[in-house]
Amino acid sequence: MIIDCHGHYTTAPRQHEGWRSEQIEAHKAGKPSPPRPRITDDEIRESIANGQLKVQRERGTDLTIFSPRAAGMGHHLGDAATSEAWASACNELIHRVCSLFPKNFIGVAMLPQSARVSPRNCLREIDRCVGEYGFVGVNLNPDPSGGHWQDPPLSDRYWYPVYEKMAEHDIPAMIHVSAACNPAYHTTGSHYLNGDTVGFNQLMTSSVFKDFPTIKFVIPHGGGAVPYHWGRFRGLAQDAKLGLLSDLMLNNIFFDTCVYHLPGQELLAKVIPAENILFASEMIGAVRGIDPETGHHYDDTKRYIDQLPLSAEEKGKIFESNARRVYGRLSRIIEEQSAKAI
Ligand SMILES: [Zn+2]
């Protein structure tokens, strides 16, 4: 089985994002939110069958761990109440996709975060998504201000209520920022990769893994700058007398393969042990074009991994067994959802 651990519902029916715009406009005007739009099962089916499902089939992957559109989370917009209503609507839609296509999609939750609001307000939504929807993870935004970095670092006890919940449910968090509202950043070009790198560095210099030995984080987009600068981080850990970086991080930190060229994948696989790499493409997402150098989509990441000089056993870890290990509930939910599909 080939499990893509990083996909977003970027093709949701138009009225879903339309409602979000109306909700934020109403909030600005001090008015109540409009009623949620009607979205039919057929509209959802069409958006997936012609989108992510089609790409899965074309590329020979089996299952996508699926979450709401990341740039659409917009935790810097509105307030805690608008974030709560929006996260609830987005997660419900993911649950509907997973119910309609139980063999192909398993859910991950976006959280109702809001800049400078304690992440304690996310706990109820985590319980709901794990308990009612069978979701297997969350996306945690280390910068709900959208590029102004106004919240404490991930090392701070501010985040511990979320970590306690992750440990309780045995669910990992993907560290994933949303859209940038700071014009210095391009959302998917610099803000995403910066979020990945910042998140890793904050956790590296923290006691989070001493306090939560079983907790797991996925750093998306190939780990941002981390694998390329592994020597720098090793040296920083050594200078700070934190011990070996591999001992410090590799029980708890995993890197996905959303790297859109072969040399980048080669470097990732050379620097990071196969046990810590999870297959992912982030399709249909940030980069949708075809690479003229290869004639294939940039985000067709399976092609790069197929070409890596790794053993079949190592590739099996990257494509399947690491995901089952990192997402502790995944194997059970695969069985439950497959039973529903029969
Ligand atoms: Zn993403």
Side-chain angles (χ1 to χ4, degrees), residues 85-107:
W86 177 231
S88 170
C90 290
N91 290 328
E92 187 194 314
L93 211 51
I94 294 297
H95 173 57
R96 289 180 66 187
V97 170
C98 299
S99 302
L100 291 168
F101 299 95
K103 285 183 123 166
N104 303 96
F105 298 93
I106 284 178

Side-chain angles (χ1 to χ4, degrees), residues 6 8 70 176 192 221 282:
H6 186 175
H8 303 292
H176 206 309
Y192 275 23
H221 319 113
E282 206 179 21

